[in-house]
Amino acid sequence: MLPIARVGPGGSSLLEAIFTATSAVCVTGLVVVDTATHWTPFGQVVIMLLIQVGGLGIMTFVSVVGLSVLRKMSLRSRITAAAEVKSVGLEDVRGLVLGVVGTSVLIELCVAVVLSLRFLFGYGEPLGRALWLGLFHAVSSFNNAGFALFSDNMISYATDPWVCLPLAAAVILGGLGFPVLVQLRRYPRLPRKWVMNTRLVLAGTVVLLVAGAVYLTAVEWSNPSTLGPLGWSDKILVGFFQSVQARTAGFNSIDWGQMDSASLLGTDVLMLIGGGPAGTAGGIKITTFAVLFFVLVAEIRGEGTVTVFGKQLARSVQRQAITIVLIAVAVIAFSTVILMLLTDFSLDALLFEVISAFATVGLSTGITAAIPPGGQVVLMLLMFIGRLGPIAFASALALRQRPSAFELPIERPIIG
Amino acid sequence: MLPIARVGPGGSSLLEAIFTATSAVCVTGLVVVDTATHWTPFGQVVIMLLIQVGGLGIMTFVSVVGLSVLRKMSLRSRITAAAEVKSVGLEDVRGLVLGVVGTSVLIELCVAVVLSLRFLFGYGEPLGRALWLGLFHAVSSFNNAGFALFSDNMISYATDPWVCLPLAAAVILGGLGFPVLVQLRRYPRLPRKWVMNTRLVLAGTVVLLVAGAVYLTAVEWSNPSTLGPLGWSDKILVGFFQSVQARTAGFNSIDWGQMDSASLLGTDVLMLIGGGPAGTAGGIKITTFAVLFFVLVAEIRGEGTVTVFGKQLARSVQRQAITIVLIAVAVIAFSTVILMLLTDFSLDALLFEVISAFATVGLSTGITAAIPPGGQVVLMLLMFIGRLGPIAFASALALRQRPSAFELPIERPIIG
Ligand SMILES: [K+]
Ligand SMILES: [K+]
């Protein structure tokens, strides 16, 4: 970024600028400098635009890739697929891009209005600043970026539902993914019309939000540095808000450096799972996790085929899901080891940081700025891999799928 | 255990006795009291017998279960399977039990003789004690138990190859598993006669041993509390010995409480994978890990079927492997969270302890005795689940496998 973006004399260091730009365009939200005080208003506008481009980019990219995958399918599956494509609004690229942009802008504007009104009347901010705060945080939340214009992120507003709930709503909607939003708009009251993707994402989102909120609230209930001093309704609000942020927006209304190790580990799981595909959320995606879950259920029930909501799950999808998870785990383990060798931070802080970067969450125990340059480069690579890797990989896998020319004899090694 | 087993006045506490017995019969090797000084010779004999019973028990149990699974197969697969069964010596239960006992005793005696000679001539122990030390550690090593009659486990012998290498050999042989040992004896120089199970276990063992030794030696090379003070050949001996112990014997020739976090994390992976099936090793088993690896390779190469050493991998086995790994990860994560809530130890120490118990390894950063009773009960449950769970589960899954009665329409959610 240019010197003009930087408060005070001189420009930012190159690494600070590149790290911030990467974090913004990958909608991660990890920062090495304070967004509120380090950057000028110009710099903050640049960050907002990078977030918007990153969010729109990934939504259209994934949807378009999904479209080409469907087009490359065999005739028979294409006929089935055509109905799905139509019902999720993926007919043509131009309509799709317009739909993505329109949906994003509409939701962002609604959230911006609510937030602006609250900053205007609740906190007496001048009109111009209230509008700017509303717009920035609406963009940052719908795109699951987690950048905030306050030095303590959202901690000052931890107990204000008029700030937290609109942010949470934008985060959840962005995290559902574009295909789900389209289906919800078209058939809001007809769940039987929803395709498997929509059902998995909605059910998974509800389960993860509730489980995460209950878990975090319970673990931190009497932690004097986090939820301890709050009243019970505020405890629940903060617990819910942080559960939402793990899907994968990364605003924090509490100091994650003070959270119990058990909260960090539980949040690691939530962050790794992430949100719905073709949305602004990161992680391995709810669908990937759900596919493994249903494989597990089918195996325990001794069923030959995997059934999900009355439909059969394609075999190729099962193997794709395993592959994505194995590679994600390998990347995370490898990066964690590298950071362990580069720094003296504890495993729970580093694992949290690595998963936060990989799943483009942006939550941190506060160690990001203290990690040496080599480690920060690892985090940047993780953001890119986490943002583009799974979908690029999944689509490449889907396109390259070919049947084997001949059958080999089958063998069964002993498992377990 | 009886008061007679305990040195000094009074009996052991019930928890100490139960924990030690569980650790012995599950061939884990985690201890809450010092085996060398807490127990009388009578108590030590009881421990050795429990180890022997536990090791023989699991080997015969898994082999017999494998046999029944094969018997329940469809006619066509049974014809293929029959050849496999014959070639791994699983024709009948009686022959199998005799084979397991004979093989175990033979290997244990060989190792006991070598160790006894070393203790007799190398360290000037009296004949009786030298024989006892040789026998106990031979049983403990072949059964991958990791109990030692020295208060510092094997640290005093860290640089003595005449102690470390026989122990390592016994650990590796026990960890290959009975079916592999039978095939190696029958066709020592005919790899093309080996079944997939044998090939996977042997290849996996070599890869994991070498990778583990290189990794641990490199990470600890200049750690002043571990390998730092040693000469380079001793560094390699200790690194190799500890890599062997992760498969899953658990002798330690170095203080794991002083190891780098990166070594702990790397060893977590090695311990979780464990050894070969139907042997004395724990973990999810090399075959389970290898199956997932080959699924990954097939997926990356875009192949419809998974090929392993020129044979096709059965689909049902792929799903079993996924199921085992998912459950193992869930059990480990859940137990780690519980221990985090019960204690103040760091994530790396607790994760290491939990995986060590689950994979019946017995390595520890030294926190076992300091964990409160509730946490020790969790560790005991982990040993049982880790020892019996995977095979019981895998065989139940294999036996309950039934084809679905009708075909449902297939759907593809978006992955990644
Ligand atoms: K984020
Ligand atoms: K062991």
Side-chain angles (χ1 to χ4, degrees), chain A residues 26-29 143-146 248-250 359-362:
Chain A
C26 294
V27 297
T28 306
N143 291 292
N144 275 251
T248 55
T360 67
V361 181

PDB file of all heavy atoms in Angstrom, chain A residues 26-29 143-146 248-250 359-362, ligand 1:
ATOM      1  N   CYS A  26      -8.190 -12.095   1.016  1.00  0.00           N
ATOM      2  CA  CYS A  26      -8.586 -13.458   1.387  1.00  0.00           C
ATOM      3  C   CYS A  26      -9.686 -13.431   2.448  1.00  0.00           C
ATOM      4  O   CYS A  26     -10.027 -14.470   3.003  1.00  0.00           O
ATOM      5  CB  CYS A  26      -7.393 -14.256   1.922  1.00  0.00           C
ATOM      6  SG  CYS A  26      -6.128 -14.579   0.706  1.00  0.00           S
ATOM      7  N   VAL A  27     -10.222 -12.243   2.751  1.00  0.00           N
ATOM      8  CA  VAL A  27     -11.235 -12.028   3.792  1.00  0.00           C
ATOM      9  C   VAL A  27     -10.925 -12.795   5.081  1.00  0.00           C
ATOM     10  O   VAL A  27     -11.784 -13.446   5.654  1.00  0.00           O
ATOM     11  CB  VAL A  27     -12.678 -12.324   3.307  1.00  0.00           C
ATOM     12  CG1 VAL A  27     -13.049 -11.371   2.196  1.00  0.00           C
ATOM     13  CG2 VAL A  27     -12.875 -13.747   2.862  1.00  0.00           C
ATOM     14  N   THR A  28      -9.662 -12.680   5.522  1.00  0.00           N
ATOM     15  CA  THR A  28      -9.260 -13.397   6.729  1.00  0.00           C
ATOM     16  C   THR A  28      -9.420 -12.535   7.976  1.00  0.00           C
ATOM     17  O   THR A  28     -10.082 -12.915   8.936  1.00  0.00           O
ATOM     18  CB  THR A  28      -7.791 -13.848   6.625  1.00  0.00           C
ATOM     19  OG1 THR A  28      -7.639 -14.587   5.427  1.00  0.00           O
ATOM     20  CG2 THR A  28      -7.412 -14.688   7.821  1.00  0.00           C
ATOM     21  N   GLY A  29      -8.784 -11.353   7.969  1.00  0.00           N
ATOM     22  CA  GLY A  29      -8.941 -10.469   9.119  1.00  0.00           C
ATOM     23  C   GLY A  29      -7.833 -10.536  10.150  1.00  0.00           C
ATOM     24  O   GLY A  29      -7.884  -9.826  11.147  1.00  0.00           O
ATOM     25  N   ASN A 143     -18.888 -10.256   4.080  1.00  0.00           N
ATOM     26  CA  ASN A 143     -17.816 -10.975   3.391  1.00  0.00           C
ATOM     27  C   ASN A 143     -16.972 -11.813   4.355  1.00  0.00           C
ATOM     28  O   ASN A 143     -15.914 -12.308   3.986  1.00  0.00           O
ATOM     29  CB  ASN A 143     -16.946  -9.997   2.614  1.00  0.00           C
ATOM     30  CG  ASN A 143     -17.696  -9.410   1.435  1.00  0.00           C
ATOM     31  OD1 ASN A 143     -18.004 -10.120   0.483  1.00  0.00           O
ATOM     32  ND2 ASN A 143     -18.038  -8.139   1.517  1.00  0.00           N
ATOM     33  N   ASN A 144     -17.439 -11.932   5.597  1.00  0.00           N
ATOM     34  CA  ASN A 144     -16.736 -12.759   6.582  1.00  0.00           C
ATOM     35  C   ASN A 144     -15.275 -12.366   6.733  1.00  0.00           C
ATOM     36  O   ASN A 144     -14.408 -13.220   6.864  1.00  0.00           O
ATOM     37  CB  ASN A 144     -16.846 -14.244   6.218  1.00  0.00           C
ATOM     38  CG  ASN A 144     -18.125 -14.862   6.744  1.00  0.00           C
ATOM     39  OD1 ASN A 144     -18.112 -15.653   7.668  1.00  0.00           O
ATOM     40  ND2 ASN A 144     -19.261 -14.476   6.181  1.00  0.00           N
ATOM     41  N   ALA A 145     -15.003 -11.056   6.688  1.00  0.00           N
ATOM     42  CA  ALA A 145     -13.609 -10.613   6.743  1.00  0.00           C
ATOM     43  C   ALA A 145     -13.140 -10.387   8.183  1.00  0.00           C
ATOM     44  O   ALA A 145     -12.023 -10.720   8.533  1.00  0.00           O
ATOM     45  CB  ALA A 145     -13.434  -9.335   5.939  1.00  0.00           C
ATOM     46  N   GLY A 146     -13.983  -9.780   9.006  1.00  0.00           N
ATOM     47  CA  GLY A 146     -13.598  -9.619  10.399  1.00  0.00           C
ATOM     48  C   GLY A 146     -12.697  -8.437  10.690  1.00  0.00           C
ATOM     49  O   GLY A 146     -12.242  -8.285  11.820  1.00  0.00           O
ATOM     50  N   THR A 248     -16.921 -17.973   9.193  1.00  0.00           N
ATOM     51  CA  THR A 248     -15.582 -17.808   9.669  1.00  0.00           C
ATOM     52  C   THR A 248     -15.210 -16.340   9.581  1.00  0.00           C
ATOM     53  O   THR A 248     -14.289 -15.966   8.889  1.00  0.00           O
ATOM     54  CB  THR A 248     -14.580 -18.601   8.800  1.00  0.00           C
ATOM     55  OG1 THR A 248     -14.817 -18.144   7.421  1.00  0.00           O
ATOM     56  CG2 THR A 248     -14.797 -20.070   8.809  1.00  0.00           C
ATOM     57  N   ALA A 249     -15.984 -15.492  10.296  1.00  0.00           N
ATOM     58  CA  ALA A 249     -15.827 -14.046  10.150  1.00  0.00           C
ATOM     59  C   ALA A 249     -14.679 -13.500  10.980  1.00  0.00           C
ATOM     60  O   ALA A 249     -13.872 -12.706  10.505  1.00  0.00           O
ATOM     61  CB  ALA A 249     -17.121 -13.360  10.560  1.00  0.00           C
ATOM     62  N   GLY A 250     -14.605 -13.898  12.232  1.00  0.00           N
ATOM     63  CA  GLY A 250     -13.444 -13.515  13.006  1.00  0.00           C
ATOM     64  C   GLY A 250     -13.516 -12.198  13.747  1.00  0.00           C
ATOM     65  O   GLY A 250     -12.498 -11.725  14.236  1.00  0.00           O
ATOM     66  N   ALA A 359      -8.462 -21.233   7.572  1.00  0.00           N
ATOM     67  CA  ALA A 359      -9.915 -21.154   7.371  1.00  0.00           C
ATOM     68  C   ALA A 359     -10.354 -19.707   7.170  1.00  0.00           C
ATOM     69  O   ALA A 359     -11.543 -19.415   7.179  1.00  0.00           O
ATOM     70  CB  ALA A 359     -10.644 -21.782   8.550  1.00  0.00           C
ATOM     71  N   THR A 360      -9.406 -18.806   6.976  1.00  0.00           N
ATOM     72  CA  THR A 360      -9.653 -17.374   6.775  1.00  0.00           C
ATOM     73  C   THR A 360     -10.642 -16.826   7.797  1.00  0.00           C
ATOM     74  O   THR A 360     -11.609 -16.162   7.463  1.00  0.00           O
ATOM     75  CB  THR A 360     -10.146 -17.059   5.336  1.00  0.00           C
ATOM     76  OG1 THR A 360     -11.430 -17.606   5.143  1.00  0.00           O
ATOM     77  CG2 THR A 360      -9.188 -17.587   4.315  1.00  0.00           C
ATOM     78  N   VAL A 361     -10.367 -17.106   9.079  1.00  0.00           N
ATOM     79  CA  VAL A 361     -11.241 -16.664  10.159  1.00  0.00           C
ATOM     80  C   VAL A 361     -10.776 -15.309  10.703  1.00  0.00           C
ATOM     81  O   VAL A 361     -11.543 -14.350  10.770  1.00  0.00           O
ATOM     82  CB  VAL A 361     -11.257 -17.683  11.310  1.00  0.00           C
ATOM     83  CG1 VAL A 361     -12.190 -17.210  12.410  1.00  0.00           C
ATOM     84  CG2 VAL A 361     -11.671 -19.044  10.793  1.00  0.00           C
ATOM     85  N   GLY A 362      -9.518 -15.262  11.107  1.00  0.00           N
ATOM     86  CA  GLY A 362      -8.987 -13.993  11.597  1.00  0.00           C
ATOM     87  C   GLY A 362      -9.024 -13.834  13.102  1.00  0.00           C
ATOM     88  O   GLY A 362      -8.577 -12.818  13.620  1.00  0.00           O
TER      89      GLY A 362
HETATM   90  K     K C   1     -12.501 -13.807   8.371  1.00  0.00           K
END
